[in-house]
Amino acid sequence: MKTSENEKRAGSPAAKPTAEAAPGSTERPLRVAVIGSGPAGVYAADILTKSEEVRNGLQVSIDLFDRYPAPYGLIRYGVAPDHPRIKGIVNALHKVLDRGDIRFFGNVNVGTDITLAELKTYYDAVIFATGAVNDADLNIPGIELEGSFGGADFVSWYDGHPDVPREWPLEAKEIAVIGNGNVALDVARMLSKHADDLLVTEIPDNVYRGLKSSPVTDVHIFGRRGPAQVKFTPLELRELSHSKDVDIVLYPEDFVFDAASDEAIRTNNQVRTMVNTLTNWLVEQDDDVTPARTPASRRLHLHFLHSPVEITGTDGKVSGIKFELTELDGTGRARGTGEMVHYPVQAVYRSVGYFGSAPGDVEFDHQRGVVLNDGGRVLAADGTPVPGIYATGWIKRGPVGLIGHTKGDALETVTYLLQDLAQLPAAANPDPDAVVGLLASRGIHYTGWEGWLELDSHERVLGAAASAHGGVQRERVKVVSRTDMLTAARGANARV
């Protein structure tokens, strides 16, 4: 039988660990499973391998599981393909996993393909890093109408998520995007940007065709508070101005600043940069009214001080959206003015945050969308730590902070895990080959790291072919279908 890459990384059969040896020794490395191969999971694994305890002789053996055949989680399936920093983040994660000291098991769904109880048989510690992939609710009348969408669902579609439909209804000329965070900007930018300008990215072919046929002319972004309270970052904001043949439209009446706004502008460089950028755009917009100027074919409108009240419809379909105008109360918070405004739109995208899903077999806080935990130690219903079970990333703290914040979060979790070494329940079967055998016995079509490299190479080949045919240089074309992903990975060690 062919030896898989993961079996090679596990070590030779002659050096198989035994349950009797102390976890962390050369004879019996500490076995750790990380569930999720996005930044949170990869950072946790990397930090553990570089910890002081490991430098001082602690031996660790780490396996990274992901429900998708490809690694990188949020970076592959939650960030717009034209995101300016995506390539650097992917390269950093790739370097960690390409070292060879962390095994990757892609296309393995923890909970169905293998249970938490079974993982505890093979591992001394399990770290959940499953993130948050669902849309947070927006409870207003009309949210259920046809043409009302979750921003996270749209992101999954344009990022080629294998578990979402290939087609997306892009029929609206006027669109509202509710939210003032980075994801809202991504959604609005992808809706308003011309499809041909996305060909230089890894955008899947079906997404290109869908966006190419979109009749959109106007995309409106709405936020409840003012320009000084937006939640996006300067880099993402400036990215809006890079879209060709898309005019940015701002409204002077939205540029209202209270005492808290003035203080934030004075003391916070990021706030000051974003307010300056928005204000400069407003001034340039007022100055650029010469008759010789040709208007763009699409417009992206930025609205502030708007609180959504109701999505209106006709014959069950979105036909507009109603807002209550707000004002700042002196502390940076918004309060309603009682004045209502209505905008005709044919689609609404809510992008008011992500929400985590219960990974199963652990206590879950359904109000916050996180695993019940204390600093990364997963807790039982009575508030006591569950030995050997940990969490990191958004499933630990909620969908707040940027990707860089995830490193500090992972460090906290790993620090607690290392503090708990003496109390960890030792795995009954710590042999690294055992989990490989279990997956094989169940016919689980998993991909190892070499399988991902095959898939990665295949996507680059598709990019080269598209470049030769279309004249636009494409680094890769993302494969969408799970079956096609596994087929491309089969040349290495995919169990198909």
Side-chain angles (χ1 to χ4, degrees), residues 198-216:
L198 290 164
L199 281 175
V200 296
T201 73
E202 60 186 32
I203 183 173
D205 289 338
N206 66 294
V207 176
Y208 168 74
R209 290 192 298 270
L211 292 174
K212 179 73 172 177
S213 65
S214 171
V216 67

Side-chain angles (χ1 to χ4, degrees), residues 294-325:
T294 302
S297 65
R298 293 178 175 179
R299 289 159 294 282
L300 200 160
H301 307 253
L302 295 174
H303 303 268
F304 304 103
L305 302 173
H306 283 64
S307 181
V309 172
E310 179 185 5
I311 300 172
T312 57
T314 304
D315 297 328
K317 298 181 178 181
V318 171
S319 60
I321 184 167
K322 181 192 294 185
F323 292 90
E324 180 181 14
L325 297 184

Side-chain angles (χ1 to χ4, degrees), residues 219-251:
V219 176
H220 300 260
I221 307 176
F222 295 95
R224 289 188 308 108
R225 297 191 288 171
Q229 286 78 40
V230 295
K231 294 299 184 181
F232 37 74
T233 51
L235 186 63
E236 279 72 18
L237 177 61
R238 287 194 295 267
E239 191 68 20
L240 291 182
S241 65
H242 297 165
S243 296
K244 299 176 183 177
D245 191 33
V246 179
D247 282 342
I248 296 175
V249 183
L250 298 121
Y251 298 86

Side-chain angles (χ1 to χ4, degrees), residues 51-365:
S51 64
E52 182 178 356
E53 287 80 357
V54 169
R55 293 197 302 270
N56 290 335
L58 178 72
Q59 300 296 308
V60 297
S61 171
I62 304 173
D63 290 344
L64 203 64
F65 292 86
D66 202 293
R67 63 185 298 186
Y68 308 117
Y72 308 143
L74 171 72
I75 301 304
R76 183 173 172 95
Y77 293 124
V79 178
D82 62 344
H83 191 285
R85 290 183 295 188
I86 187 172
K87 211 172 280 187
I89 298 170
V90 166
N91 289 342
L93 299 180
H94 174 92
K95 287 179 181 178
V96 173
L97 297 181
D98 201 45
R99 294 192 313 238
D101 57 340
I102 299 169
R103 295 195 300 181
F104 173 67
F105 289 87
N107 200 50
V108 177
N109 191 6
V110 173
T112 55
D113 296 332
I114 186 170
T115 66
L116 177 60
E118 289 169 332
L119 286 176
K120 292 165 71 175
T121 300
Y122 303 118
Y123 300 92
D124 306 302
V126 177
I127 302 175
F128 283 96
T130 49
V133 298
N134 298 319
D135 282 290
D137 290 336
L138 178 64
N139 294 316
I140 60 174
I143 198 70
E144 77 289 345
L145 288 170
E146 183 181 339
S148 171
F149 306 105
D153 292 336
F154 182 57
V155 171
S156 293
W157 175 74
Y158 67 59
D159 272 335
H161 193 292
D163 297 337
V164 302
R166 300 285 84 83
E167 306 302 321
W168 189 272
L170 291 164
E171 301 160 353
K173 289 187 176 182
E174 299 160 302
I175 300 172
V177 178
I178 303 173
N180 258 181
N182 284 337
V183 177
L185 289 192
D186 279 353
V187 168
R189 191 176 68 253
M190 290 294 292
L191 286 166
S192 60
K193 200 167 187 174
H194 290 278
D196 287 348
D197 295 330
L198 290 164
L199 281 175
V200 296
T201 73
E202 60 186 32
I203 183 173
D205 289 338
N206 66 294
V207 176
Y208 168 74
R209 290 192 298 270
L211 292 174
K212 179 73 172 177
S213 65
S214 171
V216 67
T217 58
D218 292 85
V219 176
H220 300 260
I221 307 176
F222 295 95
R224 289 188 308 108
R225 297 191 288 171
Q229 286 78 40
V230 295
K231 294 299 184 181
F232 37 74
T233 51
L235 186 63
E236 279 72 18
L237 177 61
R238 287 194 295 267
E239 191 68 20
L240 291 182
S241 65
H242 297 165
S243 296
K244 299 176 183 177
D245 191 33
V246 179
D247 282 342
I248 296 175
V249 183
L250 298 121
Y251 298 86
E253 60 270 23
D254 290 346
F255 282 72
V256 178
F257 304 93
D258 63 357
S261 301
D262 292 337
E263 178 66 11
I265 294 168
R266 187 181 67 82
T267 60
N268 188 304
N269 287 333
Q270 179 165 298
V271 172
R272 182 165 55 252
T273 298
M274 287 189 292
V275 170
N276 285 342
T277 298
L278 290 166
T279 303
N280 287 339
W281 286 352
L282 180 63
V283 172
E284 291 168 2
Q285 168 184 292
D286 292 340
D287 290 343
D288 194 11
V289 292
T290 59
R293 181 184 180 278
T294 302
S297 65
R298 293 178 175 179
R299 289 159 294 282
L300 200 160
H301 307 253
L302 295 174
H303 303 268
F304 304 103
L305 302 173
H306 283 64
S307 181
V309 172
E310 179 185 5
I311 300 172
T312 57
T314 304
D315 297 328
K317 298 181 178 181
V318 171
S319 60
I321 184 167
K322 181 192 294 185
F323 292 90
E324 180 181 14
L325 297 184
T326 63
E327 62 184 9
L328 299 177
D329 66 359
T331 68
R333 296 185 179 90
R335 62 190 176 201
T337 64
E339 183 180 352
M340 302 293 174
V341 292
H342 184 271
Y343 294 84
V345 297
Q346 299 81 50
V348 174
Y349 290 75
R350 66 187 184 278
S351 188
V352 294
Y354 282 94
F355 199 81
S357 301
D361 297 322
V362 293
E363 292 297 322
F364 192 72
D365 184 338

Side-chain angles (χ1 to χ4, degrees), residues 21-24 28 30 53 58 124-125 377 387-388 390 414-427:
R28 165 62 162 87
L30 177 72
E53 287 80 357
L58 178 72
D124 306 302
R377 288 184 174 114
Y390 301 87
V414 169
T415 298
Y416 280 132
L417 187 158
L418 292 170
Q419 289 178 5
D420 297 342
L421 282 177
Q423 289 79 43
L424 293 179

